[in-house]
């Protein structure tokens, strides 16, 4: 299936899905190569955003895949390449737990990255998972409106993050937009409380209007357990209700898929 062609020279079997609605695909031989490419990508986008507009706004993803990326960004090889006083950190989604809970995406990012770099504490905007889910979602929307200086009544105005880091589950979900869940269909609110039946849990998540307003949306996907979903998302019929990652199609921004060989194993089959 000729969805893409190899173009990469940076340690991976790159692939540019030119004019494909699902963006640019870069395939890396293993996790270390993927994480290094991810770190270079984040630093490059941050440096450009800071140079052009004086700040870099990023919404982090949770789960396990980004842990080594955050740790690498916090290492001496990378931490000094960023002016952290110009970086503003948000989250794409959060579990409905306290900030010190082992499942907290905020806690994971704090431990791996934010406690290791000189980012001002008031540049860190966590989703308050400890609140009632609906209140946590409304609270975070207020945070976004205040930060991006958007009026309550602005029609059509949506915050534009410089970078939205996205993960993908083995069921094709992204952020906390799970197959068949209500938040997938949200087109007005920027943040939604989403009950995920399969988890028996509530989540807080950015909605597709915000995700698709990003200047750059970049997936980081690794592991053979993601291979079947990745093939469906990138090569299967368009059915974002079933594979929510297909719903990520930035209106004016870039879309990139940074994946390892294991996750890419079924592509083209
Ligand atoms: C979360 C994430 C979620 C994650 C995927 C992949 O809160 O869990 O934001 O969208 O990116 O579930 O998770 P892994 O990286 O752990 O496979």
């Amino acid at each position: 299936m000729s969805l893409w062609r190899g173009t990469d020279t940076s340690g991976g079997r790159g692939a540019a899905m030119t004019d494909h609605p699902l963006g640019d695909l870069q395939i890396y031989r293993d996790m270390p190569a993927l994480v290094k490419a991810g770190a270079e990508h984040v630093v490059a986008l941050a440096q450009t955003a800071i140079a052009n507009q004086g700040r870099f706004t990023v919404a982090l993803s949770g789960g396990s895949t980004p842990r080594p990326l955050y740790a690498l960004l916090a290492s001496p090889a990378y931490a000094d390449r960023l002016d952290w006083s110009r970086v503003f950190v948000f989250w794409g989604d959060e579990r409905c737990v306290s900030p010190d809970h082992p499942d907290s995406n905020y806690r994971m990012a704090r431990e791996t990255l934010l406690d290791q770099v000189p980012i001002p504490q008031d540049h860190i905007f966590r989703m308050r998972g400890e609140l009632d889910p609906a209140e946590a979602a409304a609270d975070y929307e207020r945070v976004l409106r205040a930060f991006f200086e958007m009026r309550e009544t602005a029609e059509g105005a949506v915050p534009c993050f410089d970078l939205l880091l996205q993960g993908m589950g083995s069921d094709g979900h992204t952020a906390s937009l799970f197959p068949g869940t209500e938040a997938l269909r949200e087109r007005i609110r920027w943040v939604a409380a989403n009950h995920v039946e399969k988890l028996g849990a509530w989540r807080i998540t950015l909605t597709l209007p915000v995700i698709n307003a990003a200047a750059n949306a970049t997936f980081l996907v690794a592991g053979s357990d993601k291979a079947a979903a990745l093939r469906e998302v990138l090569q299967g019929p368009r059915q974002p209700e079933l594979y929510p990652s297909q719903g990520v199609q930035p209106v004016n921004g870039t879309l990139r898929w940074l994946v390892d060989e294991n996750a890419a194993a079924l592509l083209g089959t």
Side-chain angles (χ1 to χ4, degrees), residues 60-66 92-95 103 105 166-171 173-178 203 220 222 225-226:
L60 300 178
S61 66
S64 55
T65 304
D93 70 323
E94 184 57 278
R95 290 79 181 279
D103 291 347
N105 288 338
Q166 304 285 135
M168 187 190 77
S170 56
D171 59 358
H173 83 261
T174 190
S176 282
L177 300 170
F178 284 78
R203 293 282 190 95
L220 201 73
D225 62 319
K226 310 291 175 73

Side-chain angles (χ1 to χ4, degrees), residues 107-127:
R107 174 175 162 176
M108 184 271 278
R110 262 239 174 261
E111 289 174 346
T112 53
L113 174 60
L114 301 175
D115 285 346
Q116 323 300 329
V117 295
I119 184 170
Q121 292 310 296
D122 62 358
H123 285 202
I124 299 171
F125 301 89
R126 72 177 180 88
M127 292 177 169

Side-chain angles (χ1 to χ4, degrees), residues 22-65:
L22 285 174
D24 175 71
L25 173 72
Q26 302 289 330
I27 303 170
Y28 296 88
R29 61 180 171 279
D30 54 24
M31 194 63 177
L34 173 64
V35 167
K36 182 176 184 303
E40 292 294 337
H41 176 61
V42 171
V43 168
L45 289 181
Q47 289 177 341
T48 301
I50 290 168
N52 294 342
Q53 56 205 36
R55 74 180 190 189
F56 173 60
T57 56
V58 55
L60 300 178
S61 66
S64 55
T65 304

